[in-house]
Amino acid sequence: MAITFSKEINGIYPAFNDSYINFTSSLSNTISAEIEVEPFSFPFKIFPDLDGNYQFNLKELAKVNINQNGFEDTNEIPIGYFQILNDRIIQLPINITVSSSTESESISKNYEFIKSVKQVGEPLFSNDTQILSKSNNGIDYSLTHFEGFPFFFEIQKVDADEVINIKNKSTGDDVSFTASTSGTSRIWIDKTNENTTSSNLLPLTDTVNKLTIYNNGAFKTNLILKKVPSKCGVYLKWFNNDGGYNFYLFDEYYKETIKSKSIGEVTRNEFKNVNETPNSFSYSIGKEVTKDLRLKANVSNDEIFYIKDMLASPSIQLYTSQTPFVTGQWITVNVEGTIDEKTKKNINEVIINIELPIQYTMTY
């Protein structure tokens, strides 16, 4: 007796993609299968096709389990420069029981999901030490760090007691840390008021830094980290398709548009004759005011590669400080726009519209 799988997911799988499992049972004339999934208190009952094949999609169950806290970053800045996070990866244990009219058999499985999504044609990378950002191969990455603004990158998964070593081939410096628990690892490069350069933890040059990441001494990942010396601008952060966060500093100068519309009007109760001039026949309840910013930046091909993800992001935030080394706050905004990429050029102009939260106004 056995339950046999003809299709199932492997490795750390994106939670927002279809995740079908197909299986059959060695029992004769099976009637149904019940799938128990933690933390749901009731089983999901499915039925076979004419050949006794069962199919079940774990996608919705994975989404519900992994997205309880939404997409906004709720992790606080640590005292040091390394964090282990538990909000990005989940274990989904399931138990399958297939029944016939006279007997049944069961099997238990455990699947692992990450809060991410892949597009058609995009491969799943087997490298657990991959960075949660865009890559063509899951090994080589490129990011830009703007000095004086908060910036980090994240490693998909490290296990407890694993030693992560980061070497800067451009300077010869390196830094190591040991994971206290299993989870996603966040490596801070800049916390606005201090960074790895000023702390002499992992100094960066003011150009391109070639970082190499090792796990327990084994090479895993390359990161080309471009450092831009401090300058003013509009700083954005967004949750990307790969399950991490990206950042970019748009130009200091932008176009601001303020829009206003009336919430409504109420008729005045003024009892006046025709020869008495009324103040007005109604008065305004108040106004709804919105503010939009039109931002632009000239970006390289390496940068536009991951900036394009912003248009599909479920969470985009703006940093309230436009001055480096000055601590601000993150506020949630909406982004609209079209990003045109000219592949023959190394530099492309990106223009987007940011809609800020509705302004506070005086109303009745």
Side-chain angles (χ1 to χ4, degrees):
M1 293 174 57
I3 294 176
T4 305
F5 286 80
S6 59
K7 178 188 293 186
E8 61 181 324
I9 59 175
N10 298 299
I12 304 176
Y13 195 85
F16 290 84
N17 286 97
D18 287 324
S19 46
Y20 289 103
I21 55 173
N22 289 17
F23 57 91
T24 58
S25 170
S26 59
L27 298 177
S28 300
N29 301 318
T30 61
I31 300 172
S32 64
E34 289 193 345
I35 301 176
E36 298 173 278
V37 184
E38 295 182 8
F40 299 94
S41 58
F42 52 88
F44 297 89
K45 193 169 187 177
I46 60 175
F47 301 91
D49 64 13
L50 295 177
D51 296 320
N53 298 305
Y54 292 86
Q55 179 173 274
F56 190 73
N57 192 349
L58 297 168
K59 175 181 176 180
E60 296 303 322
L61 303 180
K63 284 169 54 179
V64 169
N65 276 272
I66 206 167
N67 205 35
Q68 296 180 23
N69 297 323
F71 298 97
E72 291 185 4
D73 189 5
T74 58
N75 298 287
E76 297 183 357
I77 298 177
I79 295 176
Y81 287 89
F82 309 108
Q83 287 175 289
I84 300 296
L85 312 178
N86 59 10
D87 64 345
R88 222 61 59 81
I89 293 176
I90 63 163
Q91 303 288 331
L92 193 68
I94 71 171
N95 185 73
I96 300 173
T97 300
V98 180
S99 300
S100 68
S101 58
T102 57
E103 54 186 336
S104 65
E105 62 178 348
S106 299
I107 189 172
S108 294
K109 287 281 187 174
N110 188 44
Y111 297 108
E112 198 167 23
F113 289 89
I114 182 169
K115 188 187 289 188
S116 69
V117 67
K118 289 285 186 178
Q119 305 305 317
V120 175
E122 288 186 338
L124 293 176
F125 304 128
S126 59
N127 179 15
D128 285 357
T129 317
Q130 63 185 273
I131 293 173
L132 297 183
S133 186
K134 270 282 186 264
S135 173
N136 286 317
N137 56 16
I139 297 174
D140 300 307
Y141 294 82
S142 179
L143 295 171
T144 301
H145 158 47
F146 296 90
E147 184 183 29
F149 290 91
F151 176 82
F152 55 75
F153 64 88
E154 295 170 321
I155 294 173
Q156 179 177 264
K157 185 184 179 184
V158 296
D159 290 324
D161 299 323
E162 286 185 339
V163 178
I164 299 298
N165 177 252
I166 305 172
K167 295 183 179 181
N168 187 347
K169 291 186 175 180
S170 302
T171 64
D173 297 288
D174 71 290
V175 65
S176 297
F177 71 94
T178 302
S180 56
T181 60
S182 297
T184 298
S185 175
R186 175 175 292 183
I187 294 97
W188 284 86
I189 297 297
D190 202 319
K191 297 194 283 186
T192 303
N193 54 358
E194 62 176 336
N195 54 54
T196 58
T197 301
S198 63
S199 301
N200 202 34
L201 184 69
L202 185 67
L204 302 177
T205 65
D206 285 344
T207 51
V208 173
N209 297 268
K210 298 179 180 180
L211 305 185
T212 307
I213 301 174
Y214 299 82
N215 187 329
N216 282 347
F219 164 75
K220 292 295 182 179
T221 311
N222 289 316
L223 172 59
I224 301 299
L225 184 58
K226 175 184 174 185
K227 178 186 174 186
V228 178
S230 59
K231 65 176 184 177
C232 295
V234 181
Y235 198 53
L236 297 183
K237 168 187 180 181
W238 63 96
F239 191 75
N240 62 41
N241 285 343
D242 297 283
Y245 293 91
N246 285 122
F247 303 83
Y248 204 81
L249 185 72
F250 285 77
D251 292 352
E252 176 182 6
Y253 301 105
Y254 53 85
K255 178 182 177 182
E256 179 178 288
T257 302
I258 298 178
K259 301 176 184 178
S260 172
K261 67 177 181 179
S262 175
I263 296 174
E265 294 186 345
V266 175
T267 302
R268 290 179 180 270
N269 289 324
E270 292 191 348
F271 304 100
K272 294 186 178 183
N273 293 324
V274 68
N275 60 333
E276 297 177 297
T277 304
N279 293 327
S280 67
F281 294 106
S282 63
Y283 61 84
S284 174
I285 296 175
K287 297 291 185 69
E288 181 180 280
V289 177
T290 58
K291 183 185 292 186
D292 295 342
L293 306 180
R294 186 175 177 84
L295 310 179
K296 66 177 182 177
N298 291 319
V299 304
S300 68
N301 287 342
D302 289 337
E303 293 168 333
I304 203 171
F305 183 49
Y306 63 84
I307 287 176
K308 291 184 293 186
D309 259 10
M310 186 194 307
L311 296 183
S313 174
S315 174
I316 305 171
Q317 293 183 304
L318 177 145
Y319 201 56
T320 55
S321 173
Q322 297 181 18
T323 305
F325 307 113
V326 176
T327 301
Q329 294 180 329
W330 292 107
I331 59 173
T332 299
V333 298
N334 292 319
V335 169
E336 294 182 352
T338 302
I339 295 180
D340 296 319
E341 180 182 7
K342 300 178 179 65
T343 55
K344 286 187 177 181
K345 294 185 177 181
N346 185 43
I347 299 295
N348 283 269
E349 185 179 54
V350 172
I351 300 175
I352 59 173
N353 293 316
I354 299 292
E355 181 183 328
L356 298 176
I358 293 176
Q359 306 292 295
Y360 290 111
T361 58
M362 293 180 287
T363 62
Y364 280 93

